[in-house]
Amino acid sequence: MKEVSFIRQNIEKWKSLEKIVDRASAHHPGELADAYAEITADLSFSRSHYPKSRITIYLNNLASALHNQLYKNRREKYSRIVTFWTREIPEVMFRSRRELLYSFLVFIISAFIGAVSAVNDDSFVRLILGNGYVDMTLNNIRNGEPMKVYDSPDEFAMFLSIAFNNIGVSFRAFALGLLTGFGTGFIMFYNGVMVGSFQTFFFLNSAGWESVLAIWLHGTFEISAIIIAGAAGFALGNGWLFPGTFPRGYAFRQGAKRGLKIIAGLIPVFIAAGFIESFLTRHTEYPASVRLSVILLSLSCVIYYYIILPHLRHHGKSAIKD
């Protein structure tokens, strides 16, 4: 890579790192450590390719300044449990906004494919959901109880089973990023097709509105979390596929770290989804207005915390620094 291209590609990042040095006391030690790792990777590249360049001297000075600030502020604070949710998760979601968009698009497109396939092929839903589930649900619909599948007698056992299953799905979506993102893409595609065909199946059998009010009561959190977990998997895969100016191993480790933070931040969401599915979804006698309000509130929480807040935190911090 030519030196001018190297500078042009990274200059904005270096400027932001300068601001971190200037306001080191306002940053968590973890952020300083990430910044130091990034600048040392660039410094290593510059030393190898432009050993006598002024940019190497600049990066060395910046790395030294970050090193000093890091070790001056390296002590962890007990407030980490708070800052993890209020600062670290929003920041990592802002850095992963492209991966989140990719995950969302794959899911939405595949859900559309599932819906169209269910409309045009009666056997498609059976292929995706299985004959047993389809026959049971059709029987429930004929008996006027389309959501009877959620009437488990042991609510707490159901909650544990659903919560652990959902967490397992998120970890698989993340871990399959090891397959350069294609594995994560497959998980998103399969889940999208399943949701699209599943929802369409109820509309085709005159139970669409009731299914929306029941399924999306918990599904808003559950599906949103799966899409966000897909972003974690894509972050892992992109670190391996597109290291940029960083060594591939370092970029992969950074992607893995970013993805693990996202997954850890999703655990309460999956627990909430499992709780709602186990204890609330079964109550189809609740007014439609109440159930719709819960769905909209859940969607608002997800959009605010994982999309709006990351932008507010990032740009608010930048404005303060500037």
Side-chain angles (χ1 to χ4, degrees), residues 159-290:
F159 162 67
L160 291 178
S161 175
I162 291 170
F164 280 108
N165 177 71
N166 290 341
I167 292 171
V169 171
S170 72
F171 272 101
R172 285 196 294 275
F174 167 64
L176 285 174
L178 290 168
L179 303 178
T180 63
F182 290 106
T184 298
F186 174 78
I187 289 286
M188 291 298 103
F189 180 81
Y190 176 78
N191 278 277
V193 168
M194 185 168 62
V195 169
S197 60
F198 177 72
Q199 187 66 81
T200 303
F201 167 70
F202 281 97
F203 276 99
L204 292 175
N205 289 278
S206 304
W209 177 240
E210 179 57 38
S211 72
V212 168
L213 289 176
I215 294 167
W216 290 97
L217 200 63
H218 63 270
T220 302
F221 276 138
E222 184 176 308
I223 299 304
S224 297
I226 290 174
I227 292 173
I228 295 167
F234 284 131
L236 178 63
N238 286 348
W240 179 254
L241 276 178
F242 309 110
T245 60
F246 301 123
R248 193 174 300 276
Y250 169 77
F252 175 75
R253 290 192 298 273
Q254 289 298 105
K257 182 178 179 181
R258 188 152 46 106
L260 282 171
K261 277 189 178 182
I262 294 173
I263 294 299
L266 284 174
I267 291 177
V269 180
F270 279 125
I271 291 174
F275 179 86
I276 293 172
E277 185 171 356
S278 303
F279 294 95
L280 299 180
T281 300
R282 66 182 64 231
H283 293 290
T284 55
E285 73 277 8
Y286 287 173
S289 58
V290 172

Side-chain angles (χ1 to χ4, degrees), residues 19 23 26-27 31 86-87 90-91 94 304 307-322:
K19 294 173 183 176
R23 292 182 54 85
H27 293 269
E31 293 180 82
T86 60
R87 293 175 57 183
E91 181 62 25
F94 180 82
Y304 177 77
I307 298 176
I308 297 176
L309 182 61
H311 281 77
L312 292 177
R313 288 289 190 195
H314 181 83
H315 293 299
K317 236 189 324 183
S318 296
I320 292 172
K321 292 173 191 174
D322 291 342

Side-chain angles (χ1 to χ4, degrees), residues 121-169:
D121 186 351
D122 294 337
S123 64
F124 184 77
V125 175
R126 293 181 177 274
L127 176 66
I128 298 297
L129 302 177
N131 288 323
Y133 182 85
V134 171
D135 291 336
M136 176 192 68
T137 304
L138 287 174
N139 185 57
N140 290 339
I141 292 173
R142 283 193 292 269
N143 293 332
E145 298 177 303
M147 298 295 111
K148 189 178 179 180
V149 68
Y150 296 107
D151 289 344
S152 170
D154 192 339
E155 295 173 326
F156 185 71
M158 182 180 177
F159 162 67
L160 291 178
S161 175
I162 291 170
F164 280 108
N165 177 71
N166 290 341
I167 292 171
V169 171

